[in-house]
Amino acid sequence: MTDDPGTERTLLLLRHAKAESPRGVPDVDRPLSARGETDASAVGAWLARHTLLPDVVLCSPARRTRETWQAVAVGMTGDPPEGGPAGATPVVRAEAGIYQALPQTLLALLRTVPSTATTVLLVGHNPGVSLLSGLLDPAGVPVELRTAELATHRFRGPWSTLAAGRAPRNR
């Protein structure tokens, strides 16, 4: 894959699945609830059915986002994920900058994805992922992603050119 401006890229923005809020546990260490695990696994199965398997996964280091990705991966294959179109296991990057990030921070992070990746899954938190989804969509329609909800955006060109209003959200 090259930086060909005609190459279509797919960005999958996923808000983490439903998490528990145990007393005395720091926010970053909150685990998924049983419902959250089930919902995240269902997202993985949906991605597999629609052939939207990521080449790269950018994941917040928070426990609930890591557990969300693990359940998505299981849902995609029933085991560790097969991955993108070539069948390779996706590159998974734990990115501290995703936790409590502003949409501009998430956009800058996405611009660092190698041009060889055609599908990227970002597993993060609100309000950042919802605000990013609204920022990328040319219609600028605000969105409020619920837990384990996915927003799919497509654009043409390398990741380094991803910009506000350039990646319509599929509805």
Side-chain angles (χ1 to χ4, degrees), residues 31-47:
L32 285 188
S33 66
R35 178 183 134 205
E37 288 181 29
T38 300
D39 291 349
S41 183
V43 168
W46 186 91
L47 291 172

Side-chain angles (χ1 to χ4, degrees), residues 6-160:
T7 300
E8 184 174 75
R9 313 277 182 208
T10 301
L11 172 61
L12 306 165
L13 297 175
L14 177 62
R15 182 178 176 196
H16 66 79
K18 182 78 174 158
E20 299 286 347
S21 295
R23 189 179 230 182
V25 173
D27 183 67
V28 73
D29 293 327
R30 291 174 45 214
L32 285 188
S33 66
R35 178 183 134 205
E37 288 181 29
T38 300
D39 291 349
S41 183
V43 168
W46 186 91
L47 291 172
R49 276 194 313 277
H50 290 88
T51 322
L52 289 172
L53 304 175
D55 303 302
V56 174
V57 177
L58 304 174
C59 188
S60 162
R63 180 176 176 182
R64 62 191 177 275
T65 52
R66 289 181 289 118
E67 289 179 355
T68 295
W69 161 242
Q70 291 166 353
V72 166
V74 168
M76 287 191 314
T77 65
D79 269 343
E82 287 299 317
T89 300
V91 173
V92 180
R93 291 175 23 193
E95 295 283 349
I98 296 173
Y99 185 71
Q100 297 182 335
L102 297 172
Q104 294 80 3
T105 303
L106 297 173
L107 181 56
L109 176 63
L110 287 163
R111 288 180 181 144
T112 69
V113 172
S115 61
T116 53
T118 57
T119 302
V120 171
L121 171 64
L122 187 147
V123 185
H125 311 266
N126 266 353
V129 292
S130 289
L131 292 172
L132 177 61
S133 185
L135 178 71
L136 292 173
D137 191 34
V141 177
V143 63
E144 182 68 26
L145 296 174
R146 296 176 305 249
T147 55
E149 188 173 3
L150 188 68
T152 304
H153 293 263
R154 289 198 167 86
F155 74 102
R156 294 201 176 274
W159 293 100
S160 61

